[in-house]
Amino acid sequence: MLSQVFLLYLESLLITALLVGSFLGLWIGLRAVRRVDKTIKDRQAHLYDMLLIAVMTIPILSFAMMGILLIFRA
């Protein structure tokens, strides 16, 4: 039982990491195309902000995704 919950959490963690990573990559790409950040320091600060947002939101969203996967599997 515990191993099933752990595998479900790992699956939701992987799905969430892929979703958040693709969303943030798209966002960073759109900012680069529109040339919002003029200096290298601005671009680097935005990249660090996005990485921090990803690190903080992936574990939280993975629990929500685990609930959704649990509902689908029930």
Side-chain angles (χ1 to χ4, degrees):
M1 178 67 184
L2 186 61
S3 65
Q4 290 175 347
V5 172
F6 183 66
L7 288 175
L8 190 65
Y9 176 69
L10 285 179
E11 183 181 352
S12 67
L13 190 65
L14 179 67
I15 291 170
T16 306
L18 291 173
L19 287 174
V20 169
S22 63
F23 178 73
L24 292 181
L26 183 65
W27 188 340
I28 291 170
L30 287 175
R31 280 181 67 102
V33 167
R34 285 188 273 149
R35 300 190 189 271
V36 174
D37 302 319
K38 299 297 180 193
T39 65
I40 293 175
K41 213 165 194 55
D42 289 340
R43 279 180 248 149
Q44 192 175 30
H46 182 259
L47 178 64
Y48 288 154
D49 288 343
M50 291 300 105
L51 289 174
L52 184 63
I53 288 170
V55 166
M56 297 299 285
T57 57
I58 287 173
I60 297 167
L61 290 176
S62 70
F63 280 109
M65 182 65 72
M66 187 171 76
I68 293 169
L69 288 175
L70 194 65
I71 290 171
F72 284 147
R73 295 221 176 136

